[in-house]
Amino acid sequence: MDIEVMVEGEGLTEVETIRIPEGSVAREIAKVVAVKGGFPVEEAILFIEDCEEPIDLAVVVVEEEVGGRVHHVHRARRIDVAVFYQSRQIDKRFAPSTRVQRVLDWAVGPDGFKIDPAIAPEMELALHGQTTALPKNAHIGRYIRHPHHELAFDLIRGIVPNGASL
Amino acid sequence: MNGDSPSEKAVAADLASPRFRVGVKRGHWRQVSYAFPVLIVAVLAIEPDSSSSEYSFRFELTGFPGTAPEVKIWDCATDALLPTGKRLKGSNRVAEAFKSWGSETVYRPWDRHGGTHNNWATAHPVLAWHPKRDLAFVLEDLHGLLTSNAAAHGNRQAA
């Protein structure tokens, strides 16, 4: 029996599903994604979505534990994130498995730009210098490749009708 | 329909895609029913008071994916359009998306009717429908809108 694992990672543009043999160790997940992403498995670090610390690659994968969780494989342990908004910049370090949503929550929140709660639901993140809102469930690690560990976003307002962006 | 039409195959492929299934596993949406060409999906929402709820959407998928889905906010209990007063309240973007208007579909550029209204899709191609889009694209946009109230309360755990 195989175990299905949902993965994102360096070199992947979307969430994907992979299958590994039952009884495999976590290194097998890292290996499959590293091959897909085009980097050496020896450099791969495995995370669970929105978790800051990597997983021990020697642990045995248990289906009940991986079934509902998206994993992330990257060569960077941390990514230095900068967010720009109205000529201001804030910075924070995140794991590559962090969802765009988490970065957005920080950017609009009390530790970020302190966006008015009435406006905060309108906000989105785009790659710096671009205007397309990023998918909120994407892991930030998909937007950067080792050895680059710095990622910049713009805080923008989402699209509303009548041809305007608020 | 015999189940082998290109549209039915395309819908089946989308429902089996990793992005669709990840959304289900995350609890962001769930398939309520499907009998081509009608798919009903319930999507997680955050109310203005930060409580969790869900809203159902009726996808009419004739001609999919060459033809954009027609998506209506739906009341499964009555099998009819959800009355305006029962729809999610929130920011201007939420109000506009789920307002009552001529075609009574969700007012977004990817919708079959919304996209052609007031140049909506042409003005915003990043949200417009095209045949390479999938159902998860629509559901991700709906989930983002429906849970956007969390940003006003810091209630992201529920979203």
Side-chain angles (χ1 to χ4, degrees):
Chain A
M1 286 285 286
D2 285 347
I3 297 174
E4 184 182 71
V5 185
M6 298 178 291
V7 294
E8 281 216 23
E10 182 180 352
L12 274 60
T13 57
E14 281 287 355
V15 64
E16 296 186 17
T17 53
I18 62 171
R19 301 194 76 84
I20 59 172
E22 191 174 343
S24 296
V25 294
R27 182 173 287 103
E28 192 65 26
I29 300 173
K31 182 178 165 185
V32 174
V33 178
V35 169
K36 283 175 174 281
F39 57 88
V41 64
E42 297 77 26
E43 298 179 32
I45 305 169
L46 177 63
F47 298 84
I48 290 175
E49 181 174 272
D50 288 332
C51 292
E52 289 294 313
E53 296 304 320
I55 302 174
D56 180 355
L57 295 178
V59 298
V60 175
V61 175
V62 179
E63 185 164 20
E64 291 73 22
E65 292 181 4
V66 302
R69 312 172 89 173
V70 181
H71 291 62
H72 188 101
V73 181
H74 210 286
R75 285 176 289 178
R77 183 178 290 263
R78 291 284 183 270
I79 295 175
D80 294 318
V81 170
V83 180
F84 296 87
Y85 180 63
Q86 294 183 340
S87 75
R88 291 172 56 207
Q89 175 184 344
I90 55 174
D91 301 274
K92 189 175 179 181
R93 189 167 284 182
F94 291 94
S97 58
T98 307
R99 288 178 303 135
V100 169
Q101 181 71 71
R102 286 291 178 110
V103 179
L104 176 61
D105 290 344
W106 161 72
V108 302
D111 297 326
F113 292 109
K114 304 179 180 63
I115 302 295
D116 183 333
I119 307 297
E122 305 279 359
M123 307 310 289
E124 305 268 9
L125 283 180
L127 291 173
H128 186 46
Q130 300 185 18
T131 56
T132 302
L134 298 174
K136 294 191 184 72
N137 288 314
H139 295 179
I140 61 172
R142 73 161 74 162
Y143 300 108
I144 193 163
R145 290 204 71 132
H146 177 79
H148 304 289
H149 294 182
E150 295 178 352
L151 192 52
F153 300 105
D154 290 335
L155 187 63
I156 62 172
R157 294 185 74 173
I159 293 171
V160 294
N162 302 321
S165 294
L166 268 180
Chain B
M1 290 293 176
N2 58 15
D4 292 329
S5 75
S7 291
E8 286 171 273
K9 286 180 180 174
V11 173
D14 276 10
L15 296 178
S17 72
R19 284 173 64 210
F20 183 88
R21 291 190 295 125
V22 164
V24 173
K25 290 191 174 186
R26 282 179 167 138
H28 290 179
W29 56 74
R30 62 185 178 87
Q31 182 178 323
V32 175
S33 64
Y34 174 53
F36 187 86
V38 175
L39 169 71
I40 308 282
V41 181
V43 183
L44 176 72
I46 301 296
E47 300 291 335
D49 67 359
S50 81
S51 62
S52 299
S53 63
E54 67 175 20
Y55 290 84
S56 294
F57 294 87
R58 181 186 189 276
F59 290 68
E60 202 287 326
L61 297 164
T62 300
F64 183 87
T67 301
E70 177 194 79
V71 184
K72 295 181 176 179
I73 190 164
W74 206 246
D75 185 340
C76 291
T78 60
D79 198 27
L81 200 64
L82 187 70
T84 310
K86 292 186 175 180
R87 299 179 192 178
L88 182 70
K89 308 292 188 299
S91 67
N92 181 40
R93 200 159 50 133
V94 168
E96 284 291 327
F98 304 119
K99 67 184 179 184
S100 178
W101 71 290
S103 294
E104 294 294 5
T105 54
V106 176
Y107 195 57
R108 295 295 278 171
W110 40 255
D111 176 72
R112 187 182 301 168
H113 308 291
T116 58
H117 188 254
N118 273 353
N119 240 11
W120 200 188
T122 307
H124 296 292
V126 295
L127 282 176
W129 183 261
H130 57 67
K132 293 194 184 300
R133 298 285 197 212
D134 59 10
L135 293 170
F137 171 80
V138 173
L139 289 164
E140 285 169 358
D141 188 54
L142 286 172
H143 175 262
L145 288 167
L146 290 166
T147 59
S148 62
N149 283 323
H153 297 278
N155 182 23
R156 189 55 64 187
Q157 295 301 319

